[in-house]
Amino acid sequence: MILIAEKYRRCAPSYDLLSAEWPVYRAGRKIGINSLDLHPGDQVLDIGCGTGLNFGRLHQRIGSEGIIVGIDRSPDMLAQARRKASRKKWANVILIEADATMLTPAAIRASIAAQGGREYSEAALATYALSIMADWETAWTNMIRMSSPRASMAVVDMQEPTGIFVLATPLARAACRLGGADITAHPWTALERDCADVQPASARGGHLQIRTGYRR
Ligand SMILES: C[S@@+](CC[C@H](N)C(=O)[O-])C[C@H]1O[C@@H](n2cnc3c(N)ncnc32)[C@H](O)[C@@H]1O
């Protein structure tokens, strides 16, 4: 766990450039965010938000009257997210340094409210983050506990490619190893279990798995 934290500390300044965002991972976040049921003014929680690569798309959907709450364990990744928000003049971003597997939902809700947000978020997502957390089930439970009833939820994560794309399996495994992700974790199964009206999608030969649904 410490090794992964160190990895993100070191790669934070170059993460956006080196994370294969454009050829591979952007496709998943685009589908995930487009499938979220977002409205102007909504508050959306981004668990393991990293450098804030989701923020632009989220901001487009919820507008400047909405609120983005980014939670991440890495102060260095959050510093990049803070820089991005300030460069883009997004005044509606609240960033909280916390371990999603160990936080106390009530304390985080209070912290959000103290920073001008609302205790419960109308939407929540985790992109390429849960599979990095050994105890991702607890992170998912915490995500639910910070969301309002019938909140729109999304999990975007990785698995081994399928069909003819199995040829790309070594590449997919290497990318996950590099980021510290467990390619066999399949954290979207928790959303399938706990949410209603689940919409499944995939991209990049099945490597990217996207699930959206509503908190029951
Ligand atoms: C691969 S990056 C993904 C970042 C972002 N969600 C994206 O789509 O670009 C994974 C992020 O999860 C964060 N992370 C890993 N374990 C965490 C934990 N237990 N609690 C909160 N954040 C965590 C890392 O610091 C890193 O910023």
Side-chain angles (χ1 to χ4, degrees):
M1 189 179 91
I2 287 163
L3 276 179
I4 293 175
E6 175 59 16
K7 199 181 280 243
Y8 282 98
R9 190 187 69 71
R10 276 195 269 142
C11 84
S14 50
Y15 178 83
D16 289 8
L17 272 181
L18 302 182
S19 58
E21 174 66 7
W22 178 75
V24 186
Y25 296 105
R26 180 180 294 176
R29 75 177 81 253
K30 191 172 167 188
I31 297 171
I33 294 172
N34 286 348
S35 313
L36 274 173
D37 188 6
L38 292 174
H39 305 276
D42 278 354
Q43 176 171 297
V44 56
L45 202 60
D46 187 349
I47 296 287
C49 67
T51 61
L53 282 171
N54 291 328
F55 293 179
R57 275 201 173 75
L58 292 173
H59 189 82
Q60 274 173 9
R61 301 281 312 279
I62 63 174
S64 46
E65 66 274 37
I67 296 171
I68 297 169
V69 180
I71 296 180
D72 202 285
R73 185 180 62 181
S74 163
D76 301 271
M77 295 293 270
L78 286 175
Q80 296 299 321
R82 193 167 294 113
R83 226 163 272 158
K84 190 171 284 149
S86 134
R87 210 172 46 239
K88 302 276 187 186
K89 301 195 182 349
W90 297 325
N92 57 341
V93 176
I94 296 173
L95 296 172
I96 297 176
E97 184 185 325
D99 185 324
T101 67
M102 305 215 286
L103 56 78
T104 307
I108 299 291
R109 289 199 308 262
S111 166
I112 297 169
Q115 295 179 68
R118 296 182 289 280
E119 282 211 26
Y120 292 92
S121 297
E122 284 81 32
L125 82 162
T127 60
Y128 315 119
L130 292 180
S131 60
I132 288 174
M133 306 174 195
D135 187 10
W136 60 263
E137 275 278 8
T138 299
W140 166 253
T141 303
N142 287 337
M143 197 168 149
I144 288 185
R145 290 187 178 149
M146 293 185 282
S147 309
S148 55
R150 288 294 291 174
S152 178
M153 314 285 292
V155 171
V156 178
D157 227 301
M158 300 157 286
Q159 69 168 20
E160 294 194 349
T162 52
I164 58 158
F165 298 97
V166 290
L167 292 171
T169 300
L171 264 180
R173 281 189 192 150
C176 287
R177 207 174 308 120
L178 207 65
D182 175 3
I183 201 167
T184 66
H186 299 183
W188 54 87
T189 52
L191 186 149
E192 291 172 337
R193 181 194 62 212
D194 296 338
C195 288
D197 303 328
V198 175
Q199 299 289 330
S202 71
R204 297 294 180 266
H207 176 46
L208 310 183
Q209 293 292 316
I210 302 109
R211 300 291 184 278
T212 46
Y214 292 90
R215 194 195 141 169
R216 276 196 242 265

